[in-house]
Each structure stands twice: as C-alpha cells, then as structure tokens.
Amino acid sequence: MRRLALILVPYLWLLALFLVPFVIVLKISLSDLAMSIPPYTPQLDLAAGWEGIKSFFSQLDLENYVWLTEDELYWKAYLSSLQIAVFATFLTLLVGYPMAYGMARAPEEWRPMLLMLVILPFWTSFLIRVYAWMGILAKEGVLNQFLMWLGVISEPLVILNTNIAVYIGIVYTYLPFMILPIYASLDRMDDSLLEAAEDLGCSRFSAFWLVTAPLSKQGVIAGCFLVFIPTIGEFVIPSLLGGSKTLMIGKVLWDEFFSNRDWPVASAVAVVLLLILIIPIILFQRNEQKQREAEG
Amino acid sequence: MRRFSWFNATSLTLGFAFLYVPMIILIVYSFNKSKLVTVWAGFSTKWYGELLSNQAMLDAAWVTLKVAVISSSIATILGTMAAYVMVRSGRFFGRTLFSGMIYAPLVMPEVITGLSLLLLFIGLNVDRGIMTIVLAHTTFSMCYVSVVVSSRLVSFDQSLEEAALDLGCSPFQAFRLVTLPIIAPAVISGWLLAFTLSLDDLVIASFTSGPAATTLPMKIWSSVRLGVSPEINALSTIMIVLVTIGVITASLITKHQAVRQKREERAAERVS
C-alpha cells in the first residue's frame, strides 16, 4: 500500500504535468486555427460515444506540417539551428579540451580549486552571462575600444548582432558542460600508460595522439552532446546576441507563439524539433550505456 | 609524474580569463557614473541606489525567491521519491514510461516544455501566476533532483535498511533514521540545484506566468533586450557576489568536514 503511494505520487505528477501537456501539443499541432483562440477544431466529444471519437480522429490533419515544408522560413531555421549547434559544439570542444587537459595535468592540490572555478559560472545567472557580452561586443564596446587602443584595428568591428556573437555566447555559456566530462575522463587516466608509450619511443605529441586522445573519447562524446542538445533549441543567446539574419528554431517557435499567435503551427514546430532531437538523444544514451559497460 | 607544461599553463590562463573577464567588466562598469558603457566617467554607486528604489524590480526578486523556495522544496520531495522508486522498487507496471518521464525533461528544449505547460493551463482554464510557475518549475527540477539522488542511492548498501527493518523499524522509520541521513548530501545538493535552476529560468517562467506575476529573469530580460542598462550591471554584481560567497562557504564547509572525517578515521585506526 505504502509502496503504491510512493510510486503513484511522482508518477501522477509527471503524467499530469509532463506527458499530458505534450499530448495536448501533439493534438493542437494537428488542429485547425479557429479565430486564433482556443478551443481548436476538432474537439473530442465523448458524449457522442464511439462516433464522437471517430469523427475527432478523422478531422485531425497534417496541414500544419505541410505548411512547415512549404514555407522555407521553417526548414531554413531548422537547418541553420543544426549548423550553428554543430559548429558551436566544435568550437566549445576546441576551447574546452586544452582547459580540461591542463586541469588534469595541474598539481593535485590545485585541482579542487580549478574545478570550482569551472563550476562557479554555472551557478550565476545564464541570462546575465549572455548579457555581459552585449557590452563587450557592441560597436563602441569594451573589445573594440581595447583593439583600437592596441592599434590592431582602426575601425570598430561589427560583432554584436552577427552569428559570430552567437558562437561566442554559446561557447561561453556551455563551456563548463564540455570541460567537466572531459576532465573526468582525463583525471581517471592511468599515467603509466603515457610513460610506457614514451619508453617505447613515442614523441610527446604522438603519445598524446595515440594514448590520451582515445582514452578521453567518451568524455569528449559526452561533452559534445551536453553542448549540442540544448544549443539546438536555444532562445536567449540568438535573441540577445544574434542579428536579424540569425535564424534559430527556438526563436522562431517563440515568435510564432507570442507574436503571430499561430498556436497550431507553433505546436507543429515544437513536435518536429523534438523529432530532430530524438536521434542525438538516442545516440547519447547508447554511448552512456557503452561507457557504463566498459567501466563495469 | 604528470607534467604541467607551459602549454597547460597558457591554456588554463586564457580559458579562465575568457570565463571571468566578462564578469569582471560587468562588475567594474556597475560603478560607472555614466549611463553609457563606453565611457568611464568616474566612480559612483548611483546605479545601486536606483536599483534599490526600483519597486518593480524588488517585487520581481521577491516573487522569484518565493517560487524558487517553494518549487525546489516540492521538487526535492518528489524527486527523492522518484529516485527511491527507480532504484528500489524493481519492476512495476509502466516502469519504462516512468523512467522515460524522469529523463525526458532534462533534454527537452525549454521552449517546448514552456509551450506545452501553457497549453495545459489554458486548456484547464487555470489562472496563471505564481502557482503555475511553481508547478512548472517543480516538474522540470524534480527530474534533476531524482538524477542526483538516485546516483547516491545506487551506491548505498541496502543491507543497512534491511537491518533496521529486522530490528523493528517501520519502513518509514528505516527511511527516516537510516537512509535519509546517508543520502542527505545528495538531497541537499539536489535542492540547491533545483533552487538555482528556478532562480535562473526565463523561458519556462515567461510561458507559464500571467500578468500577475513577473520573475526577476523576466524583468532583466525586458530591460536588457533594449540594450545595455547600468542598473542591470549593479544587479548582476550583487548576484555574482552573493553566489561567490555562497559557493566558497559551501566548499569550505565540505573541506572542513572532509578534514574532520579523516582525523576521526585516523583516530579510530589508532584505537584498534
């Protein structure tokens, strides 16, 4: 009896506030817009019994999804989100790997401190960290002033409101997610393997490439997914740092919902976005499983 | 021997400069007299004064704090229950669905979570306000709590619980007297995680709040979208300082505990 209550409370909570809302999204994505306010047609008329259920399902259609394929705004937004996410993940890896490597090689007594320095930004507001870059990257911002003072450039660079600013924002905010799993895998590594490689005639570079890199592969994969998956649906960074040409699907969904008030289309955008995300999520889970098997 | 070369030193220095210079610039400019970020017009604390007299901002901060405390507390209870079910309950009807629902919100884009909850609340004709934000935040943060707590429960020796039951504890007593003290660090860090997630959330709160309730991130959002504003610099500085103090205190406490534990272990060894 107690056990049942223990299971039921969180179960019902998640059903009511996670699964049911998602089913509603799915239903609305198949519905027609009726004067831009709910309820949408068709409506489920349970009083009419089986006939009601049948007519409900026969009236659902894929019109909104067809609309997504017809208007090039949407598939362009999906594509450019994917592109930005892939490239940003790669850049984050480029910045994060040397840092994780340096941390794992740092003297033992420094490591807790370095780890804390990586985690600390994670506890401060995400929004504020993105906002900090607005003042830095602006035309009269700190970065341009600094570069002009150095004499590197004579005209201020236009960085804010371009895709470059979006990349900087993503690398900056998601860097801890990349560093931590890579650091964990490098920290676990057995150093005698490196010594063995060097005794056997490897240069330091080839020892890194042949021993360290393969051993940190799992951490790299985990870090890449941890950056890639949330980046695709990102809304705050492209809105604050990106320009009118930066197209990301999270922003399109937001605008569709709040500005155009076309809820059925917004719902269809959400469903497709989730379908796109399911593939990397499954890959990620499989990778985790493999890692656990390798360890256990 | 691990080698700490100039390469490692450079990458760490550059990396940490990248992470911290933006925040330092934010703090420095919060003391700027001028409204422009570009011109340094001398030291001044006037933006702090303006921030503290901005009633709408203070109200939003209060709403945010209330939402974060309530939602993270409910989320900790529900998340711990969910973790316990996942680790201890073996097979039951719908287990796969249950674990799916625990993990799915972790990877769900916030816009989708927000959108779906808003549609639910509209469908049910619920008035949106603090209550609906609490419900939304509880739902996604309980999943984080349950992941943190279940990793601790997995490594925990179940025979301790069984011993308590053999000695006449009720299952609830065994949980309260044996299990809970052991998993307490995970429960506390789960609560802290849920608390910060709630404080930080903009997207889900924007979808699920009504005209009656504005959270601090929503307030910040509406003022920074128009450009850089020095009042927000002051607010950011206060938040960064508070977080830094909090994290340093917490790490000092854990360090202190670890030292004490080591000392006790050594003492125990000497006795035996």
Side-chain angles (χ1 to χ4, degrees), chain A residues 216-250:
Chain A
S216 59
K217 201 178 96 192
Q218 295 291 347
V220 170
I221 294 174
C224 286
F225 277 113
L226 287 180
V227 176
F228 178 77
I229 293 171
T231 308
I232 289 193
E234 188 51 60
F235 163 74
V236 172
I237 298 173
S239 310
L240 289 185
L241 302 177
S244 51
K245 277 193 208 138
T246 307
L247 206 52
M248 286 194 81
I249 199 67

PDB file of all heavy atoms in Angstrom, chain A residues 216-250:
ATOM      1  N   SER A 216      40.271   9.576 -23.810  1.00  0.00           N
ATOM      2  CA  SER A 216      39.329  10.611 -23.387  1.00  0.00           C
ATOM      3  C   SER A 216      38.126  10.695 -24.323  1.00  0.00           C
ATOM      4  O   SER A 216      37.309  11.594 -24.202  1.00  0.00           O
ATOM      5  CB  SER A 216      40.035  11.962 -23.318  1.00  0.00           C
ATOM      6  OG  SER A 216      40.567  12.299 -24.574  1.00  0.00           O
ATOM      7  N   LYS A 217      38.023   9.743 -25.252  1.00  0.00           N
ATOM      8  CA  LYS A 217      36.966   9.806 -26.267  1.00  0.00           C
ATOM      9  C   LYS A 217      35.568   9.873 -25.649  1.00  0.00           C
ATOM     10  O   LYS A 217      34.744  10.681 -26.048  1.00  0.00           O
ATOM     11  CB  LYS A 217      37.081   8.576 -27.187  1.00  0.00           C
ATOM     12  CG  LYS A 217      36.406   8.766 -28.531  1.00  0.00           C
ATOM     13  CD  LYS A 217      36.587   7.558 -29.413  1.00  0.00           C
ATOM     14  CE  LYS A 217      35.386   6.640 -29.308  1.00  0.00           C
ATOM     15  NZ  LYS A 217      35.581   5.328 -29.896  1.00  0.00           N
ATOM     16  N   GLN A 218      35.341   9.032 -24.634  1.00  0.00           N
ATOM     17  CA  GLN A 218      33.996   9.007 -24.029  1.00  0.00           C
ATOM     18  C   GLN A 218      33.633  10.358 -23.430  1.00  0.00           C
ATOM     19  O   GLN A 218      32.516  10.830 -23.556  1.00  0.00           O
ATOM     20  CB  GLN A 218      33.917   7.933 -22.948  1.00  0.00           C
ATOM     21  CG  GLN A 218      34.071   6.516 -23.452  1.00  0.00           C
ATOM     22  CD  GLN A 218      32.881   6.077 -24.286  1.00  0.00           C
ATOM     23  OE1 GLN A 218      31.849   6.720 -24.306  1.00  0.00           O
ATOM     24  NE2 GLN A 218      33.061   4.981 -25.008  1.00  0.00           N
ATOM     25  N   GLY A 219      34.623  10.991 -22.786  1.00  0.00           N
ATOM     26  CA  GLY A 219      34.371  12.299 -22.197  1.00  0.00           C
ATOM     27  C   GLY A 219      34.073  13.338 -23.265  1.00  0.00           C
ATOM     28  O   GLY A 219      33.181  14.175 -23.100  1.00  0.00           O
ATOM     29  N   VAL A 220      34.803  13.260 -24.373  1.00  0.00           N
ATOM     30  CA  VAL A 220      34.579  14.200 -25.470  1.00  0.00           C
ATOM     31  C   VAL A 220      33.173  14.020 -26.030  1.00  0.00           C
ATOM     32  O   VAL A 220      32.444  14.989 -26.250  1.00  0.00           O
ATOM     33  CB  VAL A 220      35.634  14.002 -26.577  1.00  0.00           C
ATOM     34  CG1 VAL A 220      35.275  14.801 -27.813  1.00  0.00           C
ATOM     35  CG2 VAL A 220      37.009  14.404 -26.073  1.00  0.00           C
ATOM     36  N   ILE A 221      32.773  12.753 -26.230  1.00  0.00           N
ATOM     37  CA  ILE A 221      31.437  12.493 -26.788  1.00  0.00           C
ATOM     38  C   ILE A 221      30.364  13.027 -25.840  1.00  0.00           C
ATOM     39  O   ILE A 221      29.444  13.742 -26.256  1.00  0.00           O
ATOM     40  CB  ILE A 221      31.241  10.979 -27.047  1.00  0.00           C
ATOM     41  CG1 ILE A 221      32.201  10.524 -28.148  1.00  0.00           C
ATOM     42  CG2 ILE A 221      29.812  10.689 -27.435  1.00  0.00           C
ATOM     43  CD1 ILE A 221      32.189   9.031 -28.386  1.00  0.00           C
ATOM     44  N   ALA A 222      30.518  12.723 -24.545  1.00  0.00           N
ATOM     45  CA  ALA A 222      29.522  13.190 -23.579  1.00  0.00           C
ATOM     46  C   ALA A 222      29.449  14.716 -23.585  1.00  0.00           C
ATOM     47  O   ALA A 222      28.363  15.296 -23.631  1.00  0.00           O
ATOM     48  CB  ALA A 222      29.860  12.681 -22.180  1.00  0.00           C
ATOM     49  N   GLY A 223      30.620  15.370 -23.578  1.00  0.00           N
ATOM     50  CA  GLY A 223      30.645  16.824 -23.570  1.00  0.00           C
ATOM     51  C   GLY A 223      29.983  17.413 -24.812  1.00  0.00           C
ATOM     52  O   GLY A 223      29.212  18.363 -24.722  1.00  0.00           O
ATOM     53  N   CYS A 224      30.268  16.811 -25.978  1.00  0.00           N
ATOM     54  CA  CYS A 224      29.688  17.327 -27.216  1.00  0.00           C
ATOM     55  C   CYS A 224      28.167  17.247 -27.187  1.00  0.00           C
ATOM     56  O   CYS A 224      27.482  18.185 -27.580  1.00  0.00           O
ATOM     57  CB  CYS A 224      30.219  16.556 -28.423  1.00  0.00           C
ATOM     58  SG  CYS A 224      31.907  17.006 -28.814  1.00  0.00           S
ATOM     59  N   PHE A 225      27.630  16.124 -26.696  1.00  0.00           N
ATOM     60  CA  PHE A 225      26.176  16.016 -26.631  1.00  0.00           C
ATOM     61  C   PHE A 225      25.589  17.000 -25.630  1.00  0.00           C
ATOM     62  O   PHE A 225      24.547  17.601 -25.879  1.00  0.00           O
ATOM     63  CB  PHE A 225      25.754  14.593 -26.276  1.00  0.00           C
ATOM     64  CG  PHE A 225      25.728  13.681 -27.458  1.00  0.00           C
ATOM     65  CD1 PHE A 225      26.622  12.638 -27.566  1.00  0.00           C
ATOM     66  CD2 PHE A 225      24.814  13.874 -28.478  1.00  0.00           C
ATOM     67  CE1 PHE A 225      26.609  11.797 -28.666  1.00  0.00           C
ATOM     68  CE2 PHE A 225      24.790  13.053 -29.577  1.00  0.00           C
ATOM     69  CZ  PHE A 225      25.692  12.002 -29.670  1.00  0.00           C
ATOM     70  N   LEU A 226      26.273  17.164 -24.495  1.00  0.00           N
ATOM     71  CA  LEU A 226      25.756  18.076 -23.471  1.00  0.00           C
ATOM     72  C   LEU A 226      25.699  19.506 -23.983  1.00  0.00           C
ATOM     73  O   LEU A 226      24.914  20.312 -23.513  1.00  0.00           O
ATOM     74  CB  LEU A 226      26.609  18.013 -22.198  1.00  0.00           C
ATOM     75  CG  LEU A 226      26.463  16.764 -21.363  1.00  0.00           C
ATOM     76  CD1 LEU A 226      27.352  16.841 -20.136  1.00  0.00           C
ATOM     77  CD2 LEU A 226      25.017  16.569 -20.924  1.00  0.00           C
ATOM     78  N   VAL A 227      26.564  19.842 -24.944  1.00  0.00           N
ATOM     79  CA  VAL A 227      26.515  21.186 -25.533  1.00  0.00           C
ATOM     80  C   VAL A 227      25.525  21.216 -26.691  1.00  0.00           C
ATOM     81  O   VAL A 227      24.715  22.126 -26.812  1.00  0.00           O
ATOM     82  CB  VAL A 227      27.917  21.619 -26.010  1.00  0.00           C
ATOM     83  CG1 VAL A 227      27.861  22.963 -26.709  1.00  0.00           C
ATOM     84  CG2 VAL A 227      28.863  21.690 -24.841  1.00  0.00           C
ATOM     85  N   PHE A 228      25.596  20.178 -27.531  1.00  0.00           N
ATOM     86  CA  PHE A 228      24.823  20.177 -28.775  1.00  0.00           C
ATOM     87  C   PHE A 228      23.303  20.166 -28.535  1.00  0.00           C
ATOM     88  O   PHE A 228      22.570  20.963 -29.120  1.00  0.00           O
ATOM     89  CB  PHE A 228      25.226  18.951 -29.605  1.00  0.00           C
ATOM     90  CG  PHE A 228      24.488  18.797 -30.889  1.00  0.00           C
ATOM     91  CD1 PHE A 228      24.815  19.580 -31.984  1.00  0.00           C
ATOM     92  CD2 PHE A 228      23.462  17.874 -31.008  1.00  0.00           C
ATOM     93  CE1 PHE A 228      24.126  19.449 -33.173  1.00  0.00           C
ATOM     94  CE2 PHE A 228      22.767  17.741 -32.195  1.00  0.00           C
ATOM     95  CZ  PHE A 228      23.100  18.528 -33.280  1.00  0.00           C
ATOM     96  N   ILE A 229      22.850  19.287 -27.638  1.00  0.00           N
ATOM     97  CA  ILE A 229      21.399  19.107 -27.474  1.00  0.00           C
ATOM     98  C   ILE A 229      20.704  20.392 -26.992  1.00  0.00           C
ATOM     99  O   ILE A 229      19.748  20.842 -27.616  1.00  0.00           O
ATOM    100  CB  ILE A 229      21.094  17.892 -26.564  1.00  0.00           C
ATOM    101  CG1 ILE A 229      21.521  16.611 -27.270  1.00  0.00           C
ATOM    102  CG2 ILE A 229      19.616  17.826 -26.227  1.00  0.00           C
ATOM    103  CD1 ILE A 229      21.480  15.372 -26.415  1.00  0.00           C
ATOM    104  N   PRO A 230      21.185  21.037 -25.919  1.00  0.00           N
ATOM    105  CA  PRO A 230      20.470  22.265 -25.533  1.00  0.00           C
ATOM    106  C   PRO A 230      20.666  23.424 -26.506  1.00  0.00           C
ATOM    107  O   PRO A 230      19.823  24.307 -26.575  1.00  0.00           O
ATOM    108  CB  PRO A 230      21.061  22.612 -24.156  1.00  0.00           C
ATOM    109  CG  PRO A 230      22.318  21.871 -24.054  1.00  0.00           C
ATOM    110  CD  PRO A 230      22.209  20.675 -24.935  1.00  0.00           C
ATOM    111  N   THR A 231      21.765  23.411 -27.254  1.00  0.00           N
ATOM    112  CA  THR A 231      22.029  24.532 -28.155  1.00  0.00           C
ATOM    113  C   THR A 231      21.002  24.624 -29.288  1.00  0.00           C
ATOM    114  O   THR A 231      20.628  25.712 -29.707  1.00  0.00           O
ATOM    115  CB  THR A 231      23.438  24.401 -28.769  1.00  0.00           C
ATOM    116  OG1 THR A 231      24.377  24.224 -27.727  1.00  0.00           O
ATOM    117  CG2 THR A 231      23.819  25.628 -29.540  1.00  0.00           C
ATOM    118  N   ILE A 232      20.548  23.466 -29.773  1.00  0.00           N
ATOM    119  CA  ILE A 232      19.614  23.479 -30.903  1.00  0.00           C
ATOM    120  C   ILE A 232      18.358  24.283 -30.589  1.00  0.00           C
ATOM    121  O   ILE A 232      17.879  25.060 -31.401  1.00  0.00           O
ATOM    122  CB  ILE A 232      19.227  22.036 -31.298  1.00  0.00           C
ATOM    123  CG1 ILE A 232      20.416  21.356 -31.944  1.00  0.00           C
ATOM    124  CG2 ILE A 232      18.069  22.043 -32.271  1.00  0.00           C
ATOM    125  CD1 ILE A 232      20.056  20.089 -32.630  1.00  0.00           C
ATOM    126  N   GLY A 233      17.820  24.099 -29.391  1.00  0.00           N
ATOM    127  CA  GLY A 233      16.587  24.802 -29.047  1.00  0.00           C
ATOM    128  C   GLY A 233      16.830  26.160 -28.412  1.00  0.00           C
ATOM    129  O   GLY A 233      15.899  26.771 -27.902  1.00  0.00           O
ATOM    130  N   GLU A 234      18.065  26.624 -28.436  1.00  0.00           N
ATOM    131  CA  GLU A 234      18.449  27.855 -27.727  1.00  0.00           C
ATOM    132  C   GLU A 234      17.604  29.052 -28.152  1.00  0.00           C
ATOM    133  O   GLU A 234      17.333  29.256 -29.331  1.00  0.00           O
ATOM    134  CB  GLU A 234      19.940  28.125 -28.005  1.00  0.00           C
ATOM    135  CG  GLU A 234      20.551  29.239 -27.210  1.00  0.00           C
ATOM    136  CD  GLU A 234      20.289  29.113 -25.728  1.00  0.00           C
ATOM    137  OE1 GLU A 234      20.689  28.100 -25.107  1.00  0.00           O
ATOM    138  OE2 GLU A 234      19.668  30.024 -25.180  1.00  0.00           O
ATOM    139  N   PHE A 235      17.212  29.840 -27.162  1.00  0.00           N
ATOM    140  CA  PHE A 235      16.396  31.005 -27.452  1.00  0.00           C
ATOM    141  C   PHE A 235      17.046  32.308 -26.996  1.00  0.00           C
ATOM    142  O   PHE A 235      17.060  33.297 -27.729  1.00  0.00           O
ATOM    143  CB  PHE A 235      15.024  30.836 -26.783  1.00  0.00           C
ATOM    144  CG  PHE A 235      14.269  32.111 -26.671  1.00  0.00           C
ATOM    145  CD1 PHE A 235      13.683  32.680 -27.781  1.00  0.00           C
ATOM    146  CD2 PHE A 235      14.157  32.769 -25.452  1.00  0.00           C
ATOM    147  CE1 PHE A 235      13.013  33.874 -27.694  1.00  0.00           C
ATOM    148  CE2 PHE A 235      13.481  33.957 -25.356  1.00  0.00           C
ATOM    149  CZ  PHE A 235      12.913  34.516 -26.480  1.00  0.00           C
ATOM    150  N   VAL A 236      17.633  32.304 -25.801  1.00  0.00           N
ATOM    151  CA  VAL A 236      18.147  33.543 -25.222  1.00  0.00           C
ATOM    152  C   VAL A 236      19.347  34.079 -26.010  1.00  0.00           C
ATOM    153  O   VAL A 236      19.400  35.262 -26.364  1.00  0.00           O
ATOM    154  CB  VAL A 236      18.542  33.318 -23.744  1.00  0.00           C
ATOM    155  CG1 VAL A 236      19.250  34.536 -23.186  1.00  0.00           C
ATOM    156  CG2 VAL A 236      17.319  33.002 -22.925  1.00  0.00           C
ATOM    157  N   ILE A 237      20.319  33.223 -26.310  1.00  0.00           N
ATOM    158  CA  ILE A 237      21.550  33.678 -26.963  1.00  0.00           C
ATOM    159  C   ILE A 237      21.284  34.290 -28.345  1.00  0.00           C
ATOM    160  O   ILE A 237      21.710  35.413 -28.600  1.00  0.00           O
ATOM    161  CB  ILE A 237      22.591  32.540 -27.024  1.00  0.00           C
ATOM    162  CG1 ILE A 237      22.959  32.110 -25.607  1.00  0.00           C
ATOM    163  CG2 ILE A 237      23.835  32.984 -27.771  1.00  0.00           C
ATOM    164  CD1 ILE A 237      23.839  30.885 -25.549  1.00  0.00           C
ATOM    165  N   PRO A 238      20.558  33.594 -29.249  1.00  0.00           N
ATOM    166  CA  PRO A 238      20.309  34.248 -30.541  1.00  0.00           C
ATOM    167  C   PRO A 238      19.475  35.520 -30.416  1.00  0.00           C
ATOM    168  O   PRO A 238      19.641  36.439 -31.220  1.00  0.00           O
ATOM    169  CB  PRO A 238      19.580  33.183 -31.364  1.00  0.00           C
ATOM    170  CG  PRO A 238      19.121  32.174 -30.405  1.00  0.00           C
ATOM    171  CD  PRO A 238      20.076  32.196 -29.264  1.00  0.00           C
ATOM    172  N   SER A 239      18.594  35.589 -29.410  1.00  0.00           N
ATOM    173  CA  SER A 239      17.775  36.802 -29.295  1.00  0.00           C
ATOM    174  C   SER A 239      18.594  37.995 -28.843  1.00  0.00           C
ATOM    175  O   SER A 239      18.350  39.110 -29.270  1.00  0.00           O
ATOM    176  CB  SER A 239      16.630  36.601 -28.314  1.00  0.00           C
ATOM    177  OG  SER A 239      15.940  35.443 -28.597  1.00  0.00           O
ATOM    178  N   LEU A 240      19.556  37.771 -27.941  1.00  0.00           N
ATOM    179  CA  LEU A 240      20.311  38.904 -27.411  1.00  0.00           C
ATOM    180  C   LEU A 240      21.533  39.236 -28.253  1.00  0.00           C
ATOM    181  O   LEU A 240      21.862  40.398 -28.449  1.00  0.00           O
ATOM    182  CB  LEU A 240      20.758  38.635 -25.971  1.00  0.00           C
ATOM    183  CG  LEU A 240      19.673  38.631 -24.901  1.00  0.00           C
ATOM    184  CD1 LEU A 240      20.301  38.474 -23.533  1.00  0.00           C
ATOM    185  CD2 LEU A 240      18.841  39.897 -24.943  1.00  0.00           C
ATOM    186  N   LEU A 241      22.233  38.219 -28.727  1.00  0.00           N
ATOM    187  CA  LEU A 241      23.496  38.471 -29.414  1.00  0.00           C
ATOM    188  C   LEU A 241      23.385  38.380 -30.926  1.00  0.00           C
ATOM    189  O   LEU A 241      24.200  38.947 -31.640  1.00  0.00           O
ATOM    190  CB  LEU A 241      24.577  37.493 -28.925  1.00  0.00           C
ATOM    191  CG  LEU A 241      24.885  37.515 -27.428  1.00  0.00           C
ATOM    192  CD1 LEU A 241      25.915  36.456 -27.090  1.00  0.00           C
ATOM    193  CD2 LEU A 241      25.389  38.879 -27.005  1.00  0.00           C
ATOM    194  N   GLY A 242      22.392  37.642 -31.417  1.00  0.00           N
ATOM    195  CA  GLY A 242      22.272  37.445 -32.856  1.00  0.00           C
ATOM    196  C   GLY A 242      21.570  38.610 -33.527  1.00  0.00           C
ATOM    197  O   GLY A 242      20.905  39.413 -32.884  1.00  0.00           O
ATOM    198  N   GLY A 243      21.727  38.670 -34.829  1.00  0.00           N
ATOM    199  CA  GLY A 243      21.082  39.737 -35.570  1.00  0.00           C
ATOM    200  C   GLY A 243      19.814  39.244 -36.228  1.00  0.00           C
ATOM    201  O   GLY A 243      19.343  38.134 -35.973  1.00  0.00           O
ATOM    202  N   SER A 244      19.269  40.081 -37.106  1.00  0.00           N
ATOM    203  CA  SER A 244      18.025  39.701 -37.774  1.00  0.00           C
ATOM    204  C   SER A 244      18.264  38.520 -38.710  1.00  0.00           C
ATOM    205  O   SER A 244      17.343  37.806 -39.059  1.00  0.00           O
ATOM    206  CB  SER A 244      17.484  40.890 -38.560  1.00  0.00           C
ATOM    207  OG  SER A 244      18.501  41.414 -39.369  1.00  0.00           O
ATOM    208  N   LYS A 245      19.520  38.309 -39.096  1.00  0.00           N
ATOM    209  CA  LYS A 245      19.788  37.205 -40.017  1.00  0.00           C
ATOM    210  C   LYS A 245      20.017  35.884 -39.295  1.00  0.00           C
ATOM    211  O   LYS A 245      20.024  34.834 -39.923  1.00  0.00           O
ATOM    212  CB  LYS A 245      21.023  37.524 -40.873  1.00  0.00           C
ATOM    213  CG  LYS A 245      20.692  38.397 -42.072  1.00  0.00           C
ATOM    214  CD  LYS A 245      21.873  38.411 -43.035  1.00  0.00           C
ATOM    215  CE  LYS A 245      21.905  39.704 -43.830  1.00  0.00           C
ATOM    216  NZ  LYS A 245      23.278  40.210 -43.951  1.00  0.00           N
ATOM    217  N   THR A 246      20.262  35.953 -37.977  1.00  0.00           N
ATOM    218  CA  THR A 246      20.463  34.715 -37.230  1.00  0.00           C
ATOM    219  C   THR A 246      19.126  34.011 -37.074  1.00  0.00           C
ATOM    220  O   THR A 246      18.197  34.553 -36.497  1.00  0.00           O
ATOM    221  CB  THR A 246      21.022  35.008 -35.840  1.00  0.00           C
ATOM    222  OG1 THR A 246      22.166  35.815 -35.978  1.00  0.00           O
ATOM    223  CG2 THR A 246      21.392  33.728 -35.123  1.00  0.00           C
ATOM    224  N   LEU A 247      19.067  32.810 -37.621  1.00  0.00           N
ATOM    225  CA  LEU A 247      17.808  32.087 -37.614  1.00  0.00           C
ATOM    226  C   LEU A 247      17.978  30.855 -36.748  1.00  0.00           C
ATOM    227  O   LEU A 247      18.754  29.973 -37.064  1.00  0.00           O
ATOM    228  CB  LEU A 247      17.487  31.694 -39.063  1.00  0.00           C
ATOM    229  CG  LEU A 247      16.043  31.484 -39.440  1.00  0.00           C
ATOM    230  CD1 LEU A 247      15.211  32.686 -39.032  1.00  0.00           C
ATOM    231  CD2 LEU A 247      15.953  31.257 -40.929  1.00  0.00           C
ATOM    232  N   MET A 248      17.291  30.827 -35.595  1.00  0.00           N
ATOM    233  CA  MET A 248      17.327  29.599 -34.802  1.00  0.00           C
ATOM    234  C   MET A 248      15.908  29.226 -34.446  1.00  0.00           C
ATOM    235  O   MET A 248      15.061  30.075 -34.189  1.00  0.00           O
ATOM    236  CB  MET A 248      18.198  29.762 -33.561  1.00  0.00           C
ATOM    237  CG  MET A 248      19.684  29.763 -33.923  1.00  0.00           C
ATOM    238  SD  MET A 248      20.764  29.560 -32.509  1.00  0.00           S
ATOM    239  CE  MET A 248      20.724  27.785 -32.236  1.00  0.00           C
ATOM    240  N   ILE A 249      15.667  27.914 -34.393  1.00  0.00           N
ATOM    241  CA  ILE A 249      14.299  27.437 -34.344  1.00  0.00           C
ATOM    242  C   ILE A 249      13.610  27.786 -33.021  1.00  0.00           C
ATOM    243  O   ILE A 249      12.408  28.020 -32.982  1.00  0.00           O
ATOM    244  CB  ILE A 249      14.237  25.922 -34.669  1.00  0.00           C
ATOM    245  CG1 ILE A 249      12.835  25.515 -35.076  1.00  0.00           C
ATOM    246  CG2 ILE A 249      14.745  25.071 -33.532  1.00  0.00           C
ATOM    247  CD1 ILE A 249      12.391  26.109 -36.393  1.00  0.00           C
ATOM    248  N   GLY A 250      14.391  27.855 -31.945  1.00  0.00           N
ATOM    249  CA  GLY A 250      13.806  28.219 -30.657  1.00  0.00           C
ATOM    250  C   GLY A 250      13.193  29.619 -30.722  1.00  0.00           C
ATOM    251  O   GLY A 250      12.112  29.873 -30.183  1.00  0.00           O
TER     252      GLY A 250
END
